[in-house]
Amino acid sequence: MSGSYGASGPAACHFAHYFVICGIDTESGLESDELAGENFEQSPLKRTFKSKVLAHYPENVEWNPFDQDAVNMLCMPKGLSFRTQADQRLPQFHSFIITKEDGSRTYGFVHTFYEEVTSPQICSAMQTLYQMHNAEHATPQPTSSSSSSSSMDSLASSLDEADPSSSSASFSSPAVGGYDLSRDTLYVTKALCLITPMPFMHACRQFLSQLHRAVTVVPAPPLPLESYVYNILYEVPLPAPGRTLKFHGVFEPIVCQRPGLGELQLADFPLSEAFSLLGVENLVQVFTCTLLEMQILLFSQDYQRLMTVAEGITTLLFPFQWQHVYVPILPASLFHFLDAPVPYLMGLQSKEDTDCSKLELPQEANLCFVDIDNRYIELPEDFPQFPNKTEFIQELSEVLLSFGISSNMGAPPRTHRSPVSNPCTLSRERKAMALQQLEDDGRNGNLAGEELAVLELLQGNTTLERLQALTKRTGVTVACVDALRARVKSQLTDKPGAQTVAEDEELRNAKLNVQLREVFASRFITMFADYEAFVIQSAPDLETWLTNREQMHNFDKASFLSDQPEPYLPFLSHFIETQMFATFIDNKIMSQWEEKEPLLRVFDARIDKAHLYNVRAPSLRSSSYQRCSVLKESALAIEQRLMKVDHTAIHPHLLDMKIGQGKYEQGFFPKLQADVLNTGTANNKWFQRTATTQRKQDQHRQQTAHLSLDNNLKERYMQEARSLGKNLRQPKLSDLSPAVIAQTNWKFVEGLLKECRMKTKRMLVEKMGHEAVELGHGEANITGLEENTLIASLCDLLERIWSHGLQVKQGKSALWSHLLLYQAREEKAEQQSHAESPTAPHVAERRKSDCCLSMPGLCVTLIQDMRHIQSMSEIKTDVGRARAWIRLSLEKKLLSQHLKRLLSQQALTKNLYKRYAFLRCEEEKEQFLFHLLSLNAVDYFCFTSVFTTIMIPYRVVIIPIKKLSNAMTTSNPWVCVSGELGDSGIMQIPKNVLEMTFDCQNLGKLTTVQLGHDNAGLLAKWLVDCVMVRNEITGHTYRFPCGRWLGKGVDDGSLERVLIGELVVPCGEEDPRRGCYTPPLQRSPSQIRRISITSMSGRGSKPNSAQIQEAVGEAVSNIIKHFHKPEKERGSLTVLLCGENSLVAALEQFFHHGFKSARLFQKTMFIWDFVEKAGASMESADQMGDFQGPLGMTCQSLCHYINAINSTSRSIGKDGKFQLLVCLGTRDYLLPKWLPLLVECPVVQQMYEDTALLRDSSTVSALIRNLETLRDFPITLESSLVKGIDL
């Protein structure tokens, strides 16, 4: 639950703080409620009028000042409602909550009923309104006495007019011609309200119901009403933790209980109702959205349903607390608050026959919309599922079933809006089904709650009475209606036994509540059983921690995620970034110096208990589902507590009132005697003692906890803590002046800017830390999963910024709508400029003979990037397109530049946004763009790595070394580009062309290029410097160095080469990305290194033996590190096997050390020549029987591999063959076994010096040990390396 219950001190003593009466003020007369969105087209009885607080007792409570406007607005959110004697006038109950700025809460419980209007002025005013309305709308209304009223259609239409799920303010009037002063009796709503520090819903509901009944029954109760109100305000205490309290209402005693200190906190709202309203799966989905701090909008005609679902969801968050705006009932006058660019949980009351699909909401990009009445939810895109969701839903369903509640009551849950049938249509369909069951009596009167509400609504309906009379005459019985009427009548009258039924129902609800909550709590205990090990407690004292709180790293997120099962990661990586998790960790750290926060204390105790039973240890990193094991004992604790009353409050008694006071007219709830109700605890010794003790305890706790903490620092911290990621807990209900609304929006602007600064700083610091690891410094503290979460969070922030202060909503994504309008303007201007100058520049064809061959420039504009996104058929929604555009701009380091360009059209921005909008605050906007600009300091591949299935255009440019003599080849060249996600396949390069483009499914980060030719024609030799490949969407350009010949009889005779890529970092003055640096990827072995290996006369210094051994160790170590990374973040293994400083390169140096002579008979010798000779020697020795047992099998495997490589159809050259042998030997774990055979071979003495590393037994043994460490890892090779080899 978010926030604490009330305040400490005397507030903790009273069961209730205030008793309030709201209704019509006869002195001010009828005032239209303009803020509620008045519709003057409606008949006057359907309109809403302003209500007022008629009285509240006491006048004020010091620790909880009375907010008259807020209470009035929430007691009667739709204002006053009028009815006549022909309408339904059943009492209604709803609750509300007021969240203060410090997060503390007070609860309100409201009993609303209809009372006859006795004021002639009000009746005359209503008559006048009707006369005016009828004059304006001359069309007569159909009368209730029409001949069709006895048909089933007529009954269905009356159902449509009066939805069973509506509140007291939403019943329609079937009266003939509306209201006639001479004929009709006028009734108006009045509300009785209790405001309490804790949510004792059932107790308050019973008390208010009994209090209202006191003025309607005969005879009247023995005591005046003031006695009962005084009793609950001043003489009924809050139950002590773990205790049960009984106090007396007007007619029956009322029992309530409070959980103990080690139990889950009080939750009196029936969770069974929340699950029945939404269905289990829908509720779990909404719960997940709440955990991820999305914007959640509840929608229902019934205020109590809004409150039940909102409180149910926040109750289930234990041990976490909702930290943002929480308004379960949003009054119509505060509809503009949905514009808030922050996470919120709000409830909106729907009007009759409202089509929710046409509801205009300021933003929907990150909105979870919940239509409670129709069991319909609409989830945000890219929504991670709750861990073990299927098993979790199954366990919840079993708990519900054990209490006789189906997990899928009513219509099936729906999470996608259907264009064919809207929720209102489905609502009518369900009403029709209820009628059919009513007629058939197919369920013997055992009706579900929703259908019961339908029939309760029909009670007293004249149409139904006529229908029943008609059916009786025709011999058909409608038994259910009679049974229901008898049931309702028995509930409304004071009968013995009714109390027992109510108690049983309360006990059943309490047991079900606690069992459902235990199932949810069990999930968090499983997921966060070891969270304490990852909390970073670096501050020596509270003052230091508070001072540096924002800069401190409080939780080791990367290590925590690496310790979790893979299926949990999508959810957990998002959840640990939320404000509620940050606050939870803050509370944990502060518990070193202060008393533990109550929820944290209970949670830690349960984790300690779980550790005693070793619940977590065996299942570490396991995603197997663990069921809750404390269901029975938790239900038993509740049952035992409710069966035993620990304290009985003082009975209501006569007060010191004057003779004649306390009288009232039957059927009318009076104003009470303020003089006796405004003075309470002065003479109450029990309360004096309790309040004094409580105050002393609070003072002592504060003094010990903050002895050394400066008060100013404390206050500053508390203000900072409240504003960190959350700007307002609750809108100000008491003042709706333009100045206050402007101030609220200014807080939003400040909050958005601060959030942007924190998000960009986190992204920058974490990413730079990761890149420092690539350079060999420190350890990474960010994973790809975390990075993706941070970027998704940035997308959400940008959507919220673009949604703030919108004049008119254009689509679900405010950012994409703005971009589309910008695009339309720019393209129109472009067309006009083309019309004025139609000639376009001619682009010459680029051929082999071009003397300055290089990669051509790339057109980079905001519009061009939009067109790329628009051409992606995989993205179906505007929200998805906006997120893709953000990711692409971020990857191209153009996000800040693009958004600056977008906002440069000030006329467009002014048309789209109100004056207070974030995007029209110039200084804040500039700072925001600057923060985004800082992200250009690091490299992201957030577009390439996410949209893996899209088609991308690539451009290839082949650059020869000598432009004239060696650029020409008569052979047929080909190229194959490979990346982390796949390869392009072999593509023939057109004759005499060194540049080509091709479309291919996203290859990811490019890793290798295979380049070759078929050796045809006279000029079949080709000296290539490098190959350049560019992704035409992201602009990433890769250089694949070669620097060697392709051709028979030259170099090593290779007709194809596998080249390893490196990302080109642009540094031109004109490039917007200049100045940023990314550590270069591993690259192809350089020409200088190749020459130094294969030629005695090669340029450059040769590495010594120590350097070679170090290179081998580092290459093996890099491969091991590769496999210790999460699978999705490993990158290319080919680079580590074959690139610069790779395993192949290190072993080439090892084998080349001490080669006797590079040239024999003018022929260049390669390592592969030695391998071939050694293989031939071993083959002949094996045939003579020199190798026996395992050694013989190893010898045979080496010879087999050498022969297979030699017989491949590929012309990969001698260096390529040695590379292939090393790769295959590493993959199949044979390399350490082959080395001893090569060392012992007689050929070694012929081809190596005595000082060669290959002839040093200790060095060879160390090399073998190094290579054996790779046995633990599954090494797979790219198809570009092993193509044509079947081993």
Side-chain angles (χ1 to χ4, degrees):
M1 289 173 292
S2 67
S4 56
Y5 296 125
S8 59
C13 306
H14 294 149
F15 181 88
H17 288 172
Y18 294 99
F19 176 76
V20 186
I21 306 171
C22 292
I24 188 168
D25 184 356
T26 53
E27 294 179 6
S28 60
L30 286 182
E31 292 182 70
S32 281
D33 194 351
E34 294 161 6
L35 288 172
E38 187 53 65
N39 182 4
F40 291 102
E41 295 296 314
Q42 291 180 320
S43 65
L45 281 180
K46 284 192 175 184
R47 297 178 195 169
T48 54
F49 298 88
K50 282 185 181 177
S51 62
K52 291 197 175 171
V53 173
L54 302 179
H56 67 277
Y57 315 100
E59 192 65 35
N60 202 45
V61 175
E62 181 186 349
W63 54 87
N64 183 17
F66 187 74
D67 189 339
Q68 182 160 307
D69 291 332
V71 171
N72 176 47
M73 204 175 281
L74 293 167
C75 276
M76 307 187 100
K78 285 187 68 177
L80 297 169
S81 180
F82 286 89
R83 296 289 177 264
T84 67
Q85 77 283 353
D87 297 310
Q88 286 290 342
R89 300 188 308 280
L90 289 177
Q92 297 286 325
F93 174 83
H94 80 269
S95 42
F96 64 83
I97 190 168
I98 296 178
T99 310
K100 299 177 184 175
E101 287 191 10
D102 63 355
S104 63
R105 297 173 162 195
T106 49
Y107 290 82
F109 301 96
V110 187
H111 179 87
T112 308
F113 56 94
Y114 282 91
E115 194 172 83
E116 185 180 340
V117 178
T118 56
S119 165
Q121 293 88 352
I122 300 295
C123 293
S124 299
M126 182 59 72
Q127 174 87 26
T128 305
L129 286 174
Y130 251 104
Q131 289 170 351
M132 292 168 62
H133 177 76
N134 290 337
E136 291 173 8
H137 302 79
T139 308
Q141 295 183 357
T143 64
S144 60
S145 58
S146 65
S147 59
S148 63
S149 62
S150 60
S151 67
M152 186 63 84
D153 291 340
S154 146
L155 178 56
S157 74
S158 73
L159 266 169
D160 287 335
E161 287 174 3
D163 193 324
S165 64
S166 65
S167 68
S168 61
S170 63
F171 296 121
S172 63
S173 170
V176 187
Y179 172 68
D180 185 337
L181 181 59
S182 61
R183 180 190 66 203
D184 297 320
T185 306
L186 191 63
Y187 295 86
V188 68
T189 45
K190 181 176 273 190
L192 308 179
C193 171
L194 273 180
I195 293 178
T196 66
M198 295 184 75
F200 290 106
M201 188 202 74
H202 287 102
C204 293
R205 185 172 194 164
Q206 289 178 55
F207 177 81
L208 292 172
S209 175
Q210 291 183 37
L211 195 65
H212 174 228
R213 207 176 348 147
V215 300
T216 61
V217 298
V218 179
L223 295 173
L225 299 176
E226 284 83 354
S227 294
Y228 303 106
V229 174
Y230 182 92
N231 180 251
I232 201 164
L233 286 177
Y234 300 116
E235 295 172 336
V236 177
L238 279 177
R243 295 287 183 265
T244 303
L245 168 75
K246 182 167 84 172
F247 65 94
H248 290 267
V250 182
F251 299 105
E252 300 106 12
I254 298 167
V255 177
C256 59
Q257 60 88 26
R258 185 175 173 186
L261 294 175
E263 298 177 63
L264 299 176
Q265 278 196 320
L266 175 67
D268 211 23
F269 290 85
L271 286 173
S272 59
E273 188 178 339
F275 276 95
S276 297
L277 287 169
L278 290 183
V280 179
E281 182 173 356
N282 278 355
L283 191 133
V284 169
Q285 296 285 60
V286 177
F287 172 73
T288 310
C289 287
T290 311
L291 284 171
L292 300 178
E293 295 186 338
M294 296 174 174
Q295 292 179 324
I296 296 145
L297 182 62
L298 309 176
F299 194 66
S300 173
Q301 290 193 32
D302 190 321
Y303 296 122
Q304 186 59 14
R305 286 185 173 187
L306 294 172
M307 192 71 183
T308 299
V309 172
E311 278 294 288
I313 289 169
T314 53
T315 294
L316 297 172
L317 293 175
F318 169 87
F320 308 102
Q321 302 176 52
W322 180 255
Q323 299 293 319
H324 301 277
V325 176
Y326 182 68
V327 193
I329 298 175
L330 185 70
S333 55
L334 286 175
F335 186 81
H336 67 274
F337 212 78
L338 292 173
D339 192 26
V342 292
Y344 59 66
L345 201 168
M346 298 199 214
L348 190 64
Q349 202 260 354
S350 60
K351 296 181 180 177
E352 289 181 77
D353 298 325
T354 302
D355 184 355
C356 63
S357 64
K358 296 178 181 176
L359 191 66
E360 283 295 324
L361 299 171
Q363 59 170 316
E364 296 181 61
N366 202 40
L367 180 74
C368 173
F369 181 79
V370 185
D371 186 352
I372 297 172
D373 298 338
N374 297 295
R375 304 183 86 221
Y376 159 77
I377 66 172
E378 190 171 334
L379 298 170
E381 295 179 27
D382 304 328
F383 176 71
Q385 297 297 325
F386 193 75
N388 296 117
K389 179 183 151 192
T390 306
E391 297 92 335
F392 184 42
I393 289 173
Q394 178 65 30
E395 185 176 8
L396 291 170
S397 301
E398 288 173 13
V399 172
L400 288 165
L401 206 58
S402 69
F403 284 83
I405 298 172
S406 167
S407 61
N408 192 26
M409 291 179 67
R414 294 170 295 117
T415 56
H416 298 287
R417 182 164 292 167
S418 166
V420 180
S421 58
N422 63 41
C424 301
T425 309
L426 288 155
S427 178
R428 285 192 283 273
E429 287 171 2
R430 281 207 305 282
K431 294 170 194 169
M433 285 171 63
L435 287 170
Q436 187 64 42
Q437 289 170 354
L438 200 169
E439 185 181 16
D440 297 340
D441 195 21
R443 291 158 79 174
N444 299 317
N446 298 319
L447 296 149
E450 189 171 294
E451 294 149 348
L452 184 62
V454 174
L455 297 178
E456 282 180 353
L457 190 62
L458 292 174
Q459 187 174 270
N461 187 298
T462 54
T463 308
L464 179 59
E465 289 171 1
R466 283 195 298 276
L467 172 66
Q468 200 169 12
L470 174 67
T471 55
K472 283 179 180 176
R473 284 200 300 274
T474 56
V476 179
T477 59
V478 190
C480 254
V481 182
D482 295 331
L484 176 63
R485 282 183 169 155
R487 202 181 316 160
V488 172
K489 187 175 180 182
S490 70
Q491 288 174 358
L492 292 175
T493 55
D494 184 19
K495 280 181 66 178
Q499 174 189 339
T500 309
V501 172
E503 285 179 354
D504 287 348
E505 184 66 20
E506 187 173 345
L507 174 61
R508 179 176 171 275
N509 276 332
K511 289 166 70 175
L512 177 55
N513 263 23
V514 75
Q515 289 200 2
L516 289 170
R517 293 174 69 199
E518 288 290 357
V519 174
F520 278 82
S522 173
R523 299 308 308 128
F524 288 122
I525 289 167
T526 303
M527 279 190 276
F528 295 98
D530 302 312
Y531 86 95
E532 201 168 345
F534 303 98
V535 176
I536 301 170
Q537 300 183 340
S538 54
D541 54 64
L542 180 59
E543 185 173 353
T544 305
W545 184 79
L546 293 178
T547 308
N548 302 299
R549 179 175 177 270
E550 277 192 43
Q551 287 75 37
M552 281 186 152
H553 195 52
N554 294 335
F555 191 74
D556 187 354
K557 295 176 181 177
S559 299
F560 173 76
L561 289 174
S562 67
D563 195 41
Q564 303 308 309
E566 185 78 21
Y568 289 13
L569 296 182
F571 169 79
L572 286 175
S573 62
H574 282 76
F575 178 65
I576 62 176
E577 296 294 335
T578 60
Q579 185 62 40
M580 71 174 74
F581 184 77
T583 303
F584 173 76
I585 297 300
D586 285 352
N587 288 337
K588 179 65 181 176
I589 291 172
M590 291 177 72
S591 67
Q592 297 174 93
W593 307 290
E594 293 188 339
E595 187 178 344
K596 268 190 182 179
E597 193 268 338
L599 294 179
L600 178 66
R601 183 181 64 242
V602 175
F603 189 65
D604 281 354
R606 291 183 172 220
I607 285 178
D608 292 342
K609 185 178 178 182
H611 283 160
L612 285 176
Y613 293 102
N614 293 320
V615 169
R616 175 75 172 131
S619 59
L620 194 65
R621 291 186 63 82
S622 165
S623 59
S624 58
Y625 187 78
Q626 296 175 30
R627 298 174 73 89
C628 179
S629 58
V630 294
L631 293 182
K632 288 183 179 177
E633 60 186 78
S634 60
L636 188 63
I638 291 281
E639 187 170 4
Q640 289 175 344
R641 191 155 54 238
L642 277 173
M643 301 303 281
K644 175 195 170 192
V645 175
D646 298 297
H647 179 73
T648 303
I650 300 169
H651 283 241
H653 52 82
L654 281 170
L655 302 174
D656 187 11
M657 294 169 64
K658 296 175 183 176
I659 296 174
Q661 288 182 334
K663 289 186 177 180
Y664 54 86
E665 187 179 347
Q666 187 184 350
F668 297 89
F669 199 93
K671 281 191 179 180
L672 305 179
Q673 300 300 314
D675 52 344
V676 294
L677 293 180
N678 281 336
T679 54
T681 54
N683 301 317
N684 193 322
K685 293 178 182 178
W686 185 89
F687 269 100
Q688 283 180 334
R689 287 199 305 272
T690 312
T692 305
T693 307
Q694 183 72 35
R695 276 196 295 271
K696 285 180 180 177
Q697 288 175 352
D698 286 345
Q699 287 169 2
H700 176 69
R701 191 185 304 122
Q702 288 170 358
Q703 286 168 0
T704 54
H706 300 290
L707 201 59
S708 61
L709 193 61
D710 179 68
N711 283 329
N712 291 332
L713 177 65
K714 266 196 302 180
E715 185 58 30
R716 184 176 68 80
Y717 160 68
M718 291 307 294
Q719 293 299 328
E720 285 288 312
R722 288 173 202 142
S723 64
L724 188 65
K726 53 185 186 292
N727 308 95
L728 287 176
R729 295 268 194 166
Q730 166 112 1
K732 283 283 185 186
L733 303 182
S734 52
D735 187 355
L736 296 174
S737 65
V740 169
I741 292 173
Q743 180 63 27
T744 301
N745 279 294
W746 179 245
K747 286 183 181 178
F748 285 145
V749 170
E750 288 181 323
L752 287 170
L753 184 62
K754 182 173 184 179
E755 191 177 349
C756 178
R757 175 173 60 82
M758 293 181 66
K759 282 191 191 304
T760 51
K761 179 182 176 183
R762 169 91 196 278
M763 289 172 70
L764 195 62
V765 170
E766 300 283 30
K767 184 71 174 174
M768 289 180 82
H770 184 60
E771 294 188 348
V773 177
E774 300 289 340
L775 288 169
H777 308 297
E779 291 186 2
N781 54 354
I782 185 169
T783 64
L785 192 67
E786 274 188 285
E787 179 181 307
N788 198 42
T789 304
L790 291 172
I791 291 168
S793 177
L794 177 68
C795 293
D796 168 44
L797 173 65
L798 292 180
E799 280 290 0
R800 285 190 278 120
I801 286 175
W802 254 258
S803 299
H804 183 236
L806 265 178
Q807 297 271 20
V808 180
K809 181 189 157 194
Q810 302 279 339
K812 287 202 172 184
S813 168
L815 174 58
W816 190 250
S817 299
H818 194 170
L819 284 166
L820 288 174
L821 290 168
Y822 172 85
Q823 183 184 25
R825 289 195 177 201
E826 288 292 300
E827 287 178 346
K828 187 177 179 182
E830 190 180 332
Q831 287 171 3
Q832 289 173 352
S833 64
H834 277 307
E836 294 168 7
S837 55
T839 54
H842 175 68
V843 180
E845 185 181 354
R846 299 164 59 81
R847 306 180 69 81
K848 279 188 177 182
S849 56
D850 290 355
C851 57
C852 297
L853 196 61
S854 63
M855 187 65 75
L858 181 67
C859 175
V860 179
T861 65
L862 188 158
I863 300 293
Q864 188 62 41
D865 285 347
M866 282 189 68
R867 287 172 183 158
H868 286 315
I869 301 302
Q870 287 164 329
S871 67
M872 293 165 57
S873 59
E874 295 83 355
I875 305 175
K876 307 294 184 186
T877 66
D878 285 353
V879 174
R881 291 184 190 99
R883 289 176 177 172
W885 181 85
I886 292 167
R887 286 177 175 274
L888 177 58
S889 302
L890 189 60
E891 185 164 324
K892 296 176 79 168
K893 302 183 188 294
L894 293 171
L895 182 58
S896 179
Q897 181 180 320
H898 278 349
L899 292 178
K900 187 174 184 179
R901 179 70 183 159
L902 175 66
L903 297 171
S904 65
Q905 286 196 359
Q906 294 188 356
L908 178 60
T909 309
K910 283 182 180 178
N911 288 341
L912 291 175
Y913 291 95
K914 297 170 185 171
R915 182 63 193 90
Y916 62 74
F918 181 93
L919 296 177
R920 291 190 63 186
C921 300
E922 291 301 321
E923 188 176 335
E924 284 68 27
K925 183 177 72 178
E926 288 300 318
Q927 291 183 52
F928 157 71
L929 292 172
F930 176 77
H931 291 317
L932 291 181
L933 185 64
S934 67
L935 296 176
N936 288 7
V938 291
D939 281 302
Y940 287 101
F941 286 86
C942 51
F943 179 85
T944 305
S945 60
V946 168
F947 299 99
T948 56
T949 60
I950 63 171
M951 297 300 290
I952 289 183
Y954 291 92
R955 184 179 297 272
V956 178
V957 177
I958 299 162
I959 302 175
I961 288 182
K962 296 179 181 177
K963 298 297 185 292
L964 295 176
S965 61
N966 300 310
M968 305 292 290
T969 178
T970 56
S971 58
N972 299 299
W974 55 266
V975 68
C976 176
V977 182
S978 300
E980 293 177 354
L981 302 176
D983 64 65
S984 64
I986 290 178
M987 300 175 292
Q988 295 297 325
I989 301 171
K991 288 275 188 180
N992 300 319
V993 174
L994 290 176
E995 181 182 330
M996 63 179 288
T997 58
F998 66 93
D999 287 346
C1000 179
Q1001 185 169 307
N1002 186 0
L1003 300 175
K1005 292 181 185 177
L1006 302 187
T1007 53
T1008 63
V1009 160
Q1010 296 171 68
L1011 182 67
H1013 63 79
D1014 61 358
N1015 203 43
L1018 297 173
L1019 298 172
K1021 299 173 184 177
W1022 199 11
L1023 183 57
V1024 177
D1025 179 45
C1026 67
V1027 177
M1028 306 285 286
V1029 183
R1030 183 172 69 202
N1031 180 322
E1032 295 290 274
I1033 291 182
T1034 66
H1036 285 312
T1037 305
Y1038 295 82
R1039 185 174 183 272
F1040 297 84
C1042 177
R1044 299 187 69 175
W1045 287 94
L1046 283 86
K1048 288 287 185 184
V1050 64
D1051 205 333
D1052 66 345
S1054 176
L1055 290 181
E1056 66 173 90
R1057 296 201 183 276
V1058 178
L1059 311 177
I1060 311 299
E1062 59 184 355
L1063 187 62
V1064 176
V1065 181
C1067 53
E1069 289 296 319
E1070 76 287 349
D1071 197 294
R1073 298 172 289 183
R1074 68 183 175 87
C1076 46
Y1077 175 73
T1078 302
L1081 302 177
Q1082 300 282 2
R1083 58 182 184 272
S1084 301
S1086 65
Q1087 174 67 0
I1088 291 176
R1089 198 202 80 206
R1090 292 286 191 189
I1091 293 171
S1092 70
I1093 290 172
T1094 57
S1095 172
M1096 290 291 289
S1097 58
R1099 295 186 301 275
S1101 59
K1102 292 182 180 180
N1104 59 37
S1105 59
Q1107 290 171 330
I1108 292 171
Q1109 291 178 72
E1110 185 182 341
V1112 172
E1114 188 179 340
V1116 171
S1117 176
N1118 286 337
I1119 294 172
I1120 293 170
K1121 286 179 183 176
H1122 168 88
F1123 284 102
H1124 278 94
K1125 291 179 183 177
E1127 190 172 347
K1128 293 180 181 177
E1129 299 157 28
R1130 289 175 183 172
S1132 171
L1133 183 60
T1134 305
V1135 169
L1136 302 177
L1137 290 171
C1138 308
E1140 188 83 28
N1141 303 321
S1142 65
L1143 182 62
V1144 170
L1147 289 177
E1148 277 183 346
Q1149 291 178 344
F1150 188 93
F1151 273 87
H1152 196 269
H1153 186 266
F1155 231 24
K1156 276 189 175 177
S1157 173
R1159 290 182 181 272
L1160 291 174
F1161 308 108
Q1162 303 301 311
K1163 183 182 176 184
T1164 304
M1165 296 295 291
F1166 293 85
I1167 296 173
W1168 185 250
D1169 293 322
F1170 159 70
V1171 173
E1172 278 185 317
K1173 289 185 178 182
S1177 172
M1178 283 184 276
E1179 208 164 19
S1180 61
D1182 185 42
Q1183 288 171 359
M1184 295 175 67
D1186 292 350
F1187 297 110
Q1188 300 292 330
L1191 196 61
M1193 292 179 65
T1194 305
C1195 174
Q1196 288 170 14
S1197 71
L1198 176 57
C1199 295
H1200 177 56
Y1201 274 69
I1202 292 171
N1203 293 332
I1205 292 170
N1206 272 331
S1207 60
T1208 179
S1209 58
R1210 295 173 63 189
S1211 300
I1212 53 176
K1214 293 182 178 180
D1215 280 346
K1217 290 176 179 179
F1218 177 75
Q1219 174 176 289
L1220 188 52
L1221 182 70
V1222 172
C1223 290
L1224 291 170
T1226 306
R1227 182 194 71 182
D1228 299 335
Y1229 316 117
L1230 293 170
L1231 208 52
K1233 297 179 179 178
W1234 290 343
L1235 274 172
L1237 290 174
L1238 291 170
V1239 170
E1240 298 298 325
C1241 180
V1243 179
V1244 171
Q1245 296 172 8
Q1246 299 170 20
M1247 301 187 72
Y1248 281 89
E1249 304 281 355
D1250 291 342
T1251 57
L1253 289 173
L1254 203 58
R1255 297 185 66 176
D1256 183 341
S1257 58
S1258 60
T1259 308
V1260 172
S1261 298
L1263 174 61
I1264 291 169
R1265 285 196 300 272
N1266 248 330
L1267 294 173
E1268 280 177 340
T1269 59
L1270 299 177
R1271 290 188 63 85
D1272 299 329
F1273 307 105
I1275 292 172
T1276 54
L1277 303 178
E1278 271 191 34
S1279 60
S1280 61
L1281 294 176
V1282 295
K1283 196 180 292 180
I1285 303 291
D1286 185 19
L1287 285 169

